[in-house]
Amino acid sequence: MLCSSKLRINHNLSYNPPLSLQGCDPCSQTQRSKLQHRRARINQQINKEMRMRAGAENLFRATTNNKVKETVALELSFVNSNLQLLKEELEELNSSMEVYQTESEAINVPMIPLGLKETKEVDLTVPLKEYICEHYREDSSLFEKEIKEFMELRQAMRTPSRNEAGLELLVEYYNQLYYLDQRFFPPHRTLGVHFHWYDSLTGVPSCQRALAFEKGSVLFNVGALYTQIGARQDRSAAAGIDRAINAFQRAAGAFNFLKENFSNAPSLDMSGPSLCMLVRLMIAQVQECVFERVTLTTQDTHFTSQLQVAQEAARVSDVYSLVLQTMSQPLVKDYVPFSWASMVQVKAEHFRALSHYYAAVALCDHCDEEGEKALLQLHVSNPAGPPLSQVLRDPEERRKLGKAHLRRALIRHEEAMRVHGLCKILRKMDILQEVLSFVHKRSLDKYSEMDREDDFDETAEAPEIHSQTQQKPDIIPPNFSTVQVTDIFRRLGPLSVFCARARWGPVRLVCLQRGEGGLGLTLRGDSPYPVSRLNPLCEAGLREGDYIVAVDGENCKWAKHGEVVHSLKSCSDRGVELSVITLHTHDTQVCFIALHTHETQVVLCVCVRVICLCVCITVSACVFECFGASVMCVVCVCSGGEEVSDALPQRRQRERLPTAHGWG
């Protein structure tokens, strides 16, 4: 039930909603939007089938009629079959790589991007209004524009554009979730709102009331969007390669940040093993881009330059082999799409073949006797036959070793093509087929060129290439400060006081009259300004530590110090009317500890910034005042003659707080 505060304060803070939000039009007929529509439709069908399966399973367990059980079992088999077909269809959509690839005519090996997590609409209007009324004691109707702005921002972030503007939109919403968490989500309590998100690969829905699930899902989409941006770059030029490297490194940083800061995720795509696999996959794609840049910028055909290219290719193969091992782990094996695992295996074999090819080219086509040191560092182990120093000076020995490397390159090429042919999705990717066929034919032509009719010597086994890289990939964590946002619910007041974790009493009206020494109070700190010192002669009901929220009905929660002082000094002879609140923190609650002695009891009264340990004269009165169900203000008259008081919420009066000797 919505209500308004008893005390009406003029909210003079202006509110200017944004002119537009940079989300994509979900109805636009682009390839990516069509893919999202199909994905959303399948997600809904999967959700429906899962509800039907849950209902059928409950009926199967509940019924004792054998005929009904047979009917339900048959229905369950149909539902499970439909679910499997839907998941396979969704897997094909989610693992679709061609939609996100570059439109350039350059021939490059396709990258692996991620689709965005889909989410349902969430209406926060009623929960936020109720909380504003209950906790902040404000008229919730005054914050309808803010609530609408937040809802529009969430709606826009569901369909971000595939560029920097889309990333800024996601980060803006993520930053606003921080303020929403501080304003409306106290510890050990939720708003009763359920956040629904679908797994990015399987489409299985997950639902939680925790805002952390919403934040984690948005952060996952930040990383996924970076993968799409990286995959669509034109890698035929150095500038495009650099942009792709930056995007994949930032994607790895987003997934790594999610892995380190969010735990117990309800969906498999945000689990620890899956995120670890995604981080390694992004690092591998960065390494692949580094190889492409090395081959693009290496214009000379120098012996050592070709050996460096071979070692770069070996490095790419090593990191993809590590990704393949991660994908083979028990918790990830059944989750990762088959097309992804196939693509990773194809790339591991493809780049291993390239490493042997470039080694063979260096040995056969580029004679350089000064490159002995580079040749000694090329192989993981020394090849059989004469020493490498002799091989470098003997053209025939170089030809034999180069031929051995080409033989291994052809074996790897053929294995890559075999794995490629086993996956239906990869077979549909013409550009991948074109790349694999081209490099295989190039190696085969080179091998035929080096093969001789009178060469009856058995080809030796070439050792593997030692991997080495000129640039190690970096994991760039997300920098949320790059998108500056203003708290949408700023008018509620500064977060240092007006947050979900703080509690305060109702707004009180205090009338002060100007005396010889002024109004008798001193302000300090930042807005909202607390009363730091109070004239002992001031008996208007004001206390030290009270926060001034309005002066003569004008809101001053965000006012500057000079503005508040000016308002106080410019009051008329009739005085000034202050609206104040008393903040209740954990150490301002009342705690009573009675240590029995012969005739006295020791009472600990914990009040606002005051701890008074005294021997109470009127023990029974003090006990009644501390724990009386109808008492809102505790007054303890102690033997020291001091008076200590504090206004407390009734439901917190019986809580026990830390004593001088520890927890009571």
Side-chain angles (χ1 to χ4, degrees):
M1 181 177 179
L2 304 181
C3 62
S4 61
S5 174
K6 294 181 180 179
L7 181 63
R8 300 298 295 271
I9 298 176
N10 180 19
H11 293 265
N12 56 6
L13 293 175
S14 60
Y15 171 77
N16 297 312
L19 296 177
S20 63
L21 295 172
Q22 302 297 319
C24 286
D25 180 8
C27 299
S28 60
Q29 294 301 308
T30 63
Q31 282 293 104
R32 181 166 169 265
S33 65
K34 290 178 181 178
L35 186 67
Q36 286 182 332
H37 280 303
R38 291 177 60 192
R39 185 185 293 121
R41 177 181 56 81
I42 296 175
N43 282 331
Q44 293 175 359
Q45 292 178 347
I46 289 177
N47 200 11
K48 177 182 177 182
E49 294 291 339
M50 291 186 69
R51 290 199 304 268
M52 291 178 60
R53 185 175 68 177
E57 289 175 346
N58 292 336
L59 179 59
F60 186 84
R61 287 191 295 264
T63 185
T64 57
N65 190 315
N66 291 331
K67 189 172 182 179
V68 173
K69 279 195 172 186
E70 291 178 2
T71 305
V72 173
L74 182 62
E75 186 65 27
L76 271 174
S77 65
F78 283 121
V79 170
N80 289 329
S81 177
N82 290 337
L83 267 176
Q84 185 63 30
L85 292 174
L86 287 171
K87 287 182 178 180
E88 290 178 0
E89 184 180 356
L90 186 64
E91 177 188 330
E92 184 173 350
L93 285 179
N94 288 333
S95 58
S96 176
M97 291 172 266
E98 285 187 301
V99 177
Y100 303 104
Q101 302 304 320
T102 177
E103 297 177 357
S104 170
E105 296 181 357
I107 300 177
N108 294 109
V109 180
M111 294 294 183
I112 300 179
L114 275 78
L116 302 184
K117 290 173 69 71
E118 302 285 341
T119 180
K120 287 184 178 180
E121 293 186 10
V122 177
D123 190 359
L124 295 169
T125 305
V126 174
L128 292 182
K129 281 188 172 183
E130 289 180 346
Y131 196 83
I132 289 173
C133 172
E134 172 194 345
H135 184 74
Y136 292 97
R137 297 183 175 91
E138 297 278 4
D139 186 353
S140 57
S141 63
L142 299 176
F143 293 87
E144 290 180 351
K145 290 183 178 180
E146 284 91 339
I147 296 174
K148 181 181 179 182
E149 179 188 350
F150 182 83
M151 297 298 298
E152 290 176 348
L153 178 61
R154 189 183 191 278
Q155 180 64 24
M157 73 88 197
R158 296 176 62 191
T159 56
S161 55
R162 191 157 43 115
N163 49 31
E164 289 296 327
L167 290 169
E168 290 179 1
L169 179 62
L170 288 173
V171 175
E172 178 185 357
Y173 180 70
Y174 183 89
N175 289 341
Q176 287 293 348
L177 288 178
Y178 164 78
Y179 291 113
L180 191 76
D181 186 20
Q182 298 293 314
R183 296 283 192 190
F184 299 100
F185 286 82
H188 314 300
R189 178 185 171 184
T190 64
L191 292 181
V193 178
H194 291 82
F195 298 101
H196 296 261
W197 287 85
Y198 294 95
D199 191 288
S200 64
L201 295 180
T202 64
V204 175
S206 299
C207 175
Q208 275 196 355
R209 291 182 296 179
L211 191 64
F213 182 45
E214 176 91 346
K215 296 170 69 176
S217 299
V218 174
L219 185 57
F220 184 94
N221 277 358
V222 171
L225 193 55
Y226 269 122
T227 67
Q228 297 178 14
I229 293 175
R232 73 189 297 263
Q233 297 302 320
D234 181 7
R235 306 198 307 278
S236 61
I241 294 176
D242 290 339
R243 288 192 296 269
I245 289 175
N246 179 68
F248 287 127
Q249 288 183 150
R250 292 187 181 278
F255 295 135
N256 192 62
F257 183 87
L258 187 61
K259 177 173 68 72
E260 293 179 349
N261 294 276
F262 293 83
S263 59
N264 302 321
S267 58
L268 284 176
D269 55 355
M270 294 168 58
S271 64
S274 297
L275 291 173
C276 182
M277 179 270 296
L278 290 175
V279 171
R280 290 182 177 179
L281 176 61
M282 295 304 112
I283 292 300
Q285 297 192 138
V286 171
Q287 201 69 64
E288 182 178 349
C289 292
V290 172
F291 168 79
E292 292 176 344
R293 187 173 60 187
V294 170
T295 56
L296 186 66
T297 56
T298 304
Q299 300 295 338
D300 61 78
T301 56
H302 196 268
F303 177 72
T304 55
S305 299
Q306 295 298 312
L307 294 185
Q308 287 178 357
V309 175
Q311 290 183 310
E312 282 286 354
R315 177 62 180 173
V316 179
S317 177
D318 285 349
V319 292
Y320 272 117
S321 298
L322 181 61
V323 175
L324 189 62
Q325 291 178 10
T326 309
M327 288 182 172
S328 302
Q329 297 299 320
L331 296 177
V332 184
K333 183 178 180 180
D334 298 330
Y335 172 70
V336 174
F338 178 69
S339 59
W340 282 23
S342 299
M343 174 66 89
V344 169
Q345 188 175 357
V346 166
K347 288 191 174 187
E349 299 293 342
H350 169 71
F351 285 101
R352 184 61 62 183
L354 290 182
S355 69
H356 288 288
Y357 170 79
Y358 282 106
V361 170
L363 288 167
C364 300
D365 297 347
H366 310 290
C367 178
D368 187 354
E369 296 184 0
E370 297 180 358
E372 181 178 352
K373 182 179 179 181
L375 185 60
L376 290 174
Q377 298 176 350
L378 177 65
H379 300 100
V380 175
S381 59
N382 291 327
L388 291 176
S389 57
Q390 181 180 344
V391 170
L392 195 61
R393 291 189 294 269
D394 189 344
E396 180 62 22
E397 292 296 333
R398 287 202 313 272
R399 185 191 70 81
K400 289 182 179 180
L401 183 57
K403 184 179 177 181
H405 277 294
L406 280 174
R407 182 172 177 271
R408 296 205 66 166
L410 287 171
I411 294 174
R412 296 285 189 170
H413 283 313
E414 291 170 359
E415 178 64 16
M417 297 177 71
R418 184 190 70 83
V419 176
H420 168 266
L422 295 176
C423 181
K424 180 179 67 174
I425 296 177
L426 295 188
R427 289 199 302 268
K428 296 179 180 179
M429 301 182 68
D430 296 335
I431 187 171
L432 181 59
Q433 176 69 42
E434 188 175 350
V435 170
L436 295 179
S437 299
F438 171 78
V439 293
H440 177 260
K441 184 177 183 302
R442 184 179 62 179
S443 296
L444 189 60
D445 292 343
K446 191 68 177 177
Y447 186 85
S448 301
E449 177 186 332
M450 298 176 59
D451 196 17
R452 297 176 181 174
E453 294 182 0
D454 58 347
D455 190 1
F456 298 106
D457 295 335
E458 184 178 353
T459 304
E461 189 74 15
E464 290 292 349
I465 306 298
H466 178 70
S467 65
Q468 192 172 352
T469 181
Q470 297 181 9
Q471 176 184 341
K472 292 184 178 180
D474 292 327
I475 297 178
I476 304 178
N479 184 8
F480 303 112
S481 62
T482 56
V483 180
Q484 299 293 330
V485 299
T486 301
D487 180 13
I488 292 179
F489 296 93
R490 185 175 183 271
R491 289 197 298 143
L492 288 172
L495 268 177
S496 58
V497 175
F498 300 97
C499 62
R501 291 163 178 78
R503 300 197 65 85
W504 54 88
V507 179
R508 308 192 316 274
L509 284 178
V510 176
C511 296
L512 296 181
Q513 298 293 331
R514 183 185 299 276
E516 296 180 358
L519 294 175
L521 57 88
T522 302
L523 304 181
R524 64 171 174 81
D526 297 325
S527 58
Y529 297 100
V531 178
S532 61
R533 285 192 300 175
L534 197 61
N535 192 320
L537 299 179
C538 182
E539 299 179 355
L542 195 63
R543 309 172 197 159
E544 291 186 1
D546 283 350
Y547 287 90
I548 301 176
V549 297
V551 178
D552 285 334
E554 291 295 324
N555 191 306
C556 65
K557 291 178 180 178
W558 286 101
K560 297 180 180 179
H561 187 274
E563 295 173 351
V564 177
V565 172
H566 176 74
S567 299
L568 294 176
K569 287 184 176 181
S570 60
C571 65
S572 60
D573 295 337
R574 63 177 178 82
V576 63
E577 185 179 73
L578 303 181
S579 301
V580 299
I581 60 170
T582 301
L583 187 64
H584 299 148
T585 58
H586 186 63
D587 57 350
T588 64
Q589 312 299 317
V590 170
C591 178
F592 169 76
I593 299 173
L595 301 178
H596 291 278
T597 60
H598 292 291
E599 297 181 354
T600 62
Q601 288 185 333
V602 178
V603 178
L604 179 63
C605 300
V606 184
C607 303
V608 180
R609 299 186 179 87
V610 177
I611 297 179
C612 177
L613 184 61
C614 57
V615 179
C616 188
I617 298 176
T618 57
V619 176
S620 60
C622 183
V623 173
F624 175 77
E625 294 292 344
C626 287
F627 291 94
S630 62
V631 175
M632 288 297 292
C633 183
V634 177
V635 179
C636 177
V637 180
C638 311
S639 59
E642 301 179 5
E643 183 175 290
V644 185
S645 62
D646 185 24
L648 302 172
Q650 285 180 305
R651 61 189 179 91
R652 300 292 298 274
Q653 288 179 358
R654 297 182 182 272
E655 292 184 2
R656 307 189 71 183
L657 300 183
T659 68
H661 306 286
W663 287 94

